[in-house]
Amino acid sequence: MTTHPATTAPIGTALTELRAHFGADAITATPDGSGGLYVVISDLPVGPAYTPARTWLGFQISAAHPDADVYPHYTGTLSRTDGQRHGQAIQHVTWQGRPGEPALQISRRSNHRDPAVDTPVNKAVRILAWLTEQ
């Protein structure tokens, strides 16, 4: 198991699972200063409904993991190719001071979450699937 300095074993396991699923080179993990991590997965496809068709996905794995939801998620700014506005679950924000790069916040909370199912990797996969279906 690959851990990040100053993280718990469950957070280290989550990071290892993210690297295994998305590729180690795609994952950037930065300590959040509270025992958790900010994670960015780079160069992910979001499909033909958006411009650009690829973006990053970011989120925080809090120190309370696995007992806390991974919520919300963030992407680079995306425009819908059909010209429609984003739905209620998406809003423009800045995230982690990414210089010169506004972001979209995707608010998709896992109600009735199960820590065994709602892992950071599974949540990222579901967020991407939800986004591409919009």
Side-chain angles (χ1 to χ4, degrees):
M1 172 179 66
T2 303
T3 61
H4 200 281
T7 61
T8 64
I11 293 174
T13 298
L15 185 56
T16 298
E17 290 171 355
L18 286 161
R19 287 178 172 149
H21 185 86
F22 292 104
D25 293 342
I27 304 292
T28 303
T30 307
D32 67 4
S34 298
L37 293 174
Y38 292 112
V39 176
V40 175
I41 308 168
S42 61
D43 197 34
L44 293 171
V46 289
Y50 295 98
T51 299
R54 301 184 80 80
T55 191
W56 54 270
L57 180 70
F59 49 91
Q60 180 184 23
I61 304 174
S62 78
H65 175 74
D67 297 320
D69 195 8
V70 176
Y71 167 87
H73 287 73
Y74 302 87
T75 69
T77 299
L78 299 169
S79 299
R80 291 177 54 116
T81 56
D82 63 6
Q84 297 295 312
R85 296 175 55 125
H86 295 293
Q88 290 181 332
I90 299 176
Q91 60 184 328
H92 290 271
V93 298
T94 56
W95 186 66
Q96 292 301 301
R98 293 176 71 93
E101 189 173 353
L104 294 179
Q105 177 179 303
I106 302 170
S107 299
R108 303 290 299 165
R109 184 173 298 280
S110 296
N111 295 327
H112 313 292
R113 61 179 295 283
D114 177 348
V117 175
D118 295 307
T119 64
V121 70
N122 287 343
K123 185 81 181 264
V125 168
R126 284 198 325 266
I127 291 292
L128 288 170
W130 178 84
L131 188 62
T132 60
E133 293 167 2
Q134 296 304 299

